């Protein structure tokens, strides 16, 4: 049996020459994962051929469709890991900033307190997985799975740059916000399924929140798309190459920012949880890792909110009069983290809003401001400014 070199099995080909490649333009994480699988898959194929000679398995591992399959698996894993690390950094930032606002140092467990997030994850994972006796078990389990799954899905769909994305579609903004808006429906059903009055009240409050704040958010999204003439995220970012939309649409920024806080149930709009009033709100009967995953889903939706604000009002991954940079993903994350920092300040400065106050804010304040912002955008469009 002649010896075959490992270089015969590892071929760093152009991934876009592969007929099965799902992307039509450059995608940085896919490029990296495609090359990584060529190394891993080629090495495995070489080892098998070295031990058993010519065989079907080695040939199968080197096929174009199989290479794309495993490259996509690695691609999805990398996208999720990046989104997960961003959420952990958000959690760490919130603890440190809130600590300073309360005149304390915040968490101090390893690496400036970052390892506290890891410790909390391990703690919730090791807790007992209990299910109350009188819940609607199927709905109880499926609702939390859908809430967490949708939160992960939407967080992964937010592009970090024009080369770091999952899908580049013309209705990108609408698709992301449509999936983002599904979570409160499952929260309402979950609150009912737990057979607990506090959970049910929390679920009903979540529905109130959804109805009151999603309409102004959709008006702001429509306003941004009107100025650009497209729902494509790349087009929206490119349209802000000279001036960010936060300047002509400062009212829209304020409305969308506070509506985003309400939609991801962050204080002071956390009436769906309200642990001092409703035990733990709609999460009361969830324990152990289920509760930990719900909290992860909340922070994932918070990351999506910050990303949408950065895309719609802060120019995404571009800088005015400079355009793209060598590290657009870092530029985007810095903007998103700045928005999250503002959310933390709002949490530390404002007490929880009552349910009646939330409804009044949504319908009597944010709705008229959103419509007024739309009127400004229409005038700018008619005047030829955009």
């Amino acid at each position: 049996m002649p010896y075959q070199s490992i270089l015969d099995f590892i071929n760093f080909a152009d991934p876009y020459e592969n007929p099965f490649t799902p992307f039509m333009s450059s995608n940085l994480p896919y490029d990296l994962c495609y090359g990584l699988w060529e190394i891993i898959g080629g090495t495995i194929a070489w080892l098998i051929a070295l031990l058993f000679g010519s065989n079907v398995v080695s040939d199968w591992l080197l096929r174009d469709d199989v290479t794309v399959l495993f490259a996509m698996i690695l691609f999805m894993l990398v996208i999720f890991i990046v989104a997960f690390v961003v959420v952990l950094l958000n959690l760490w930032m919130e603890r440190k900033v809130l600590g300073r606002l309360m005149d304390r140092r915040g968490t101090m467990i390893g690496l400036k307190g970052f390892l506290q997030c890891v410790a909390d994850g391990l703690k919730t994972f090791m807790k007992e997985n209990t299910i109350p006796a009188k819940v609607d078990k199927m709905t109880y389990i499926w609702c939390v799975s859908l809430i967490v799954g949708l939160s992960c899905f939407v967080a992964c769909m937010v592009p970090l740059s024009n080369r770091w994305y999952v899908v580049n579609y013309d209705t990108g903004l609408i698709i992301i916000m449509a999936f983002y808006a599904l979570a409160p429906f499952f929260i309402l059903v979950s609150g009912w399924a737990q057979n607990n009055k506090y959970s049910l009240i929390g679920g009903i409050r979540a529905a109130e929140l959804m109805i009151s704040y999603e309409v102004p958010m959709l008006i702001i999204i429509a306003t941004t798309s009107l100025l650009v003439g497209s729902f494509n995220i790349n087009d929206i970012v490119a349209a802000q190459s000279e001036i960010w939309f936060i300047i002509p649409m400062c009212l829209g920024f304020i409305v969308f920012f506070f509506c985003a806080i309400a939609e991801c149930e962050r204080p002071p709009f956390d009436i769906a949880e309200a642990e001092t009033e409703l035990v733990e709100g709609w999460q009361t009967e969830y324990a152990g890792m289920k509760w930990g995953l719900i909290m992860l889903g909340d922070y994932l939706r918070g990351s999506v909110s910050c990303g949408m604000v950065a895309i719609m009002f802060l120019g995404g991954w571009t800088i005015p009069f400079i355009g793209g940079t060598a590290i657009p993903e870092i530029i985007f994350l810095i903007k998103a983290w700045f928005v999250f920092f503002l959310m933390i300040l709002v949490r530390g400065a404002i007490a929880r809003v009552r349910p009646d106050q939330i409804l009044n804010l949504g319908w009597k304040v944010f709705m008229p401001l959103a419509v007024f912002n739309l009127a400004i955008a229409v005038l700018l469009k008619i005047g030829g400014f955009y």
Side-chain angles (χ1 to χ4, degrees), residues 306-356:
C306 296
M308 287 295 98
V309 172
I311 288 170
M312 294 172 57
F313 298 101
L314 302 178
W317 46 84
T318 62
I319 300 175
F321 304 107
I322 296 177
T325 63
I327 48 172
E329 296 82 14
I330 302 300
I331 298 298
F332 177 81
L333 288 175
I334 289 173
K335 293 179 181 180
W337 281 324
F338 172 73
V339 176
F340 191 73
F341 174 74
L342 296 180
M343 288 185 176
I344 298 171
L345 294 183
V346 170
R347 174 176 181 171
I350 303 176
R352 179 182 296 125
V353 183
R354 297 197 313 265
D356 61 310

Side-chain angles (χ1 to χ4, degrees), residues 47 49 74 81 91 101 114 149 173 199 207 228 236 321 341 349 356 368:
L47 288 172
L74 291 174
I81 289 174
L91 181 57
L101 291 175
F114 181 77
L173 203 61
S199 302
V228 179
I236 293 172
F321 304 107
F341 174 74
D356 61 310

Side-chain angles (χ1 to χ4, degrees), residues 167-180:
V167 181
N168 183 14
Y169 32 73
D170 291 334
T171 56
L173 203 61
I174 289 295
I175 295 294
I176 290 176
M177 296 311 297
F179 283 110
Y180 180 83

Side-chain angles (χ1 to χ4, degrees), residues 18-63:
N18 189 319
F20 298 97
T21 295
F23 300 103
M24 302 303 294
S25 58
S26 177
N27 188 312
L28 179 60
Y30 177 75
D31 294 346
L32 296 175
C33 293
Y34 192 93
L36 180 60
W37 175 251
E38 285 190 322
I39 295 174
I40 297 174
T43 302
I44 295 173
W46 171 70
L47 288 172
I48 295 174
L50 190 64
L51 295 173
F52 304 103
S54 298
N55 61 89
V56 176
V57 176
S58 293
D59 295 336
W60 181 78
L61 287 172
L62 298 177
R63 281 169 42 178

Side-chain angles (χ1 to χ4, degrees), residues 3 9 34 61 74 95 108 117 142 166 181 191 209 211 238 272 280 287 289 291 295 325 331 343 345 353 359-360 385:
Y3 172 77
F9 293 85
Y34 192 93
L61 287 172
L74 291 174
R95 285 174 160 171
M108 298 293 292
C117 306
W142 272 104
V166 175
L209 211 62
I211 295 171
E280 188 60 26
M289 199 58 194
W291 181 85
M295 294 302 296
T325 63
I331 298 298
M343 288 185 176
L345 294 183
V353 183
L359 295 177
N360 288 332
F385 293 98

Side-chain angles (χ1 to χ4, degrees), residues 233-247:
I233 291 177
N234 283 328
D235 294 340
I236 293 172
V237 172
Q240 302 176 68
S241 58
E242 295 184 0
I243 182 172
W244 291 347
F245 283 165
I246 190 174
I247 296 177

